[in-house]
Amino acid sequence: MNADLSGKVAIVTGGARDIGAAVVRALAKSGASVVVNYQASGDRATALVAEVTAAGGKAVAVQADVTKEADVRRLVEETTAAFGGRIDILVNNAGGIVKRTKLEDMTGAFWDAVFALNTKSTFLVTQAVVPHMREGGAIVNMASLAARDGGGGGALAYSSSKGAVLTMTRGLAKELAPKKIRVNCVSPGMIDTTFHDLHTPQAAREATAAKTLVGRQGTPEDVANAVLFLASDMSAYLSGESVEINGGLYFV
Ligand code: NAP
C-alpha cells in the first residue's frame, strides 16, 4: 500500500490557493491528474497548473462557483473531457466563514449563504461526480474542528454548516459503500491561511497556537498530508471517518 495515485483523476474544489493548493500539489506529486477548481482566483489557478506541469504532473484549471448547479455540471463535464471520462478522487475543499456574525445580527439570507458555500456545495459536487466514479473511488470532505466545538466567536453559521458536512460524510459513506466508494473528511483546527488573515485577529491566532500541544498553527501542508492519506489506498479500511488535524487541542 502506498500513496501512488498514478493514472487517477482528482478534482479539488477551491484548489487555487491555501489549503486547496497544498492538496493539489500533494495529489499531483503522487501522480494524479488534477482539476484545479477556482471561483475568483483565476491567476493563481493558472500559475498552479503551470507549476504542476513544469514538475512533470498533469493539471487543468476550471472556473466554477460550486454553490451553483449549472457551474457544478460544467465542472464535471470539463473534468471528464480533460482526463478521459473518469474521476477517482474528489476533494470538497471550497468553503469558508464568509464573515463572523453573532446570533443577534444573523439574517436568514446570511445563514443560507454560509450553508450553500460549505454544505450544499459538498452535496452538489458529490452528486455530480459520483456517476463518473468507479469502484475504489475516494471522496474527502472538509469539515472543521468547529463542527465539534461550535467554533470561535461569530462562527455559529459556519460551525453548524461544518457539523452538517461531518454528518453528511457519515451518511454518504453508508450510501456509497455498495459502489465501493469511500467517504471521509478532515477536521482542521487553526490553519495558517487567508481564512484567518481575513477573519481572525492575530492575538487570537497566537493564543490558539500556544494552546496546542504542538505549539503552532497548522500549515496547509499539514492538512494536505491527511487528505492524501484519505484519497489513497493507504486508508483503504477507513470510511465515514474524520481525521482531526488540530495540533492536539483536544487534549488541553
Ligand atoms: P480560504 O483561504 O478562505 O480559501 C477558500 C477557498 O474556497 C478558495 O480556494 C476559494 O476559491 C474557494 N471558494 C470559496 N467560495 C467558492 C465558490 N463559491 N466556488 C468555488 N470555490 C470557492 O480557506 P482555507 O483556509 O484554505 O480553507 C479551505 C477549506 O478548509 C474551507 O472549506 C475551510 O472552511 C476549511 N477549514 C479551514 C480551516 C483553517 O483554519 N484555515 C479550519 C478548518 C476548516 P477562490 O479564491 O477561487 O474564490
Side-chain angles (χ1 to χ4, degrees):
M1 294 292 175
N2 57 41
D4 181 8
L5 303 179
S6 304
K8 299 206 170 184
V9 175
I11 298 180
V12 181
T13 67
R17 61 186 177 84
D18 295 289
I19 293 173
V23 170
V24 167
R25 289 188 180 98
L27 297 181
K29 201 172 163 193
S30 295
S33 301
V34 186
V35 169
V36 181
N37 159 250
Y38 66 96
Q39 179 191 221
S41 298
D43 290 349
R44 296 178 74 162
T46 304
L48 184 56
V49 166
E51 178 192 319
V52 167
T53 307
K58 287 187 192 150
V60 296
V62 178
Q63 197 283 335
D65 178 340
V66 291
T67 67
K68 296 187 175 151
E69 291 193 48
D71 280 29
V72 168
R73 270 198 301 278
R74 186 174 44 72
L75 168 63
V76 172
E77 281 163 15
E78 292 189 27
T79 300
T80 54
F83 293 126
R86 62 186 289 172
I87 304 173
D88 304 282
I89 296 162
L90 167 63
V91 183
N92 282 309
N93 167 73
I97 195 168
V98 182
K99 191 179 159 212
R100 291 196 184 273
T101 307
K102 295 277 192 198
L103 179 63
E104 60 264 31
D105 302 320
M106 191 85 66
T107 62
F110 179 82
W111 184 272
D112 288 347
V114 174
F115 268 72
L117 177 55
N118 294 300
T119 311
K120 187 179 176 192
S121 68
T122 300
F123 144 64
L124 285 177
V125 182
T126 301
Q127 186 188 47
V129 162
V130 162
H132 303 278
M133 261 193 176
R134 305 172 184 186
E135 203 168 287
I139 298 171
V140 185
N141 295 328
M142 194 59 68
S144 171
L145 175 63
R148 297 241 186 155
D149 75 0
L156 181 63
Y158 175 73
S159 60
S160 302
S161 72
K162 291 296 191 181
V165 170
L166 187 60
T167 303
M168 200 194 314
T169 300
R170 295 170 180 156
L172 281 169
K174 290 182 182 176
E175 188 163 333
L176 299 180
K179 295 181 190 292
K180 307 279 185 218
I181 294 170
R182 296 180 303 108
V183 188
N184 291 289
C185 66
V186 291
S187 294
M190 172 81 64
I191 310 299
D192 184 5
T193 69
T194 309
F195 179 115
H196 291 295
D197 294 344
L198 294 176
H199 301 292
T200 311
Q202 191 59 28
R205 294 171 69 158
E206 285 168 13
T208 301
K211 269 196 284 178
T212 67
L213 298 182
V214 173
R216 62 170 174 83
Q217 296 179 62
T219 65
E221 290 71 28
D222 289 326
V223 181
N225 287 336
V227 172
L228 176 61
F229 169 68
L230 292 174
S232 78
D233 288 346
M234 288 181 77
S235 60
Y237 201 51
L238 272 74
S239 196
E241 192 52 85
S242 167
V243 174
E244 313 296 314
I245 311 165
N246 58 42
L249 268 178
Y250 275 179
F251 301 99
V252 295

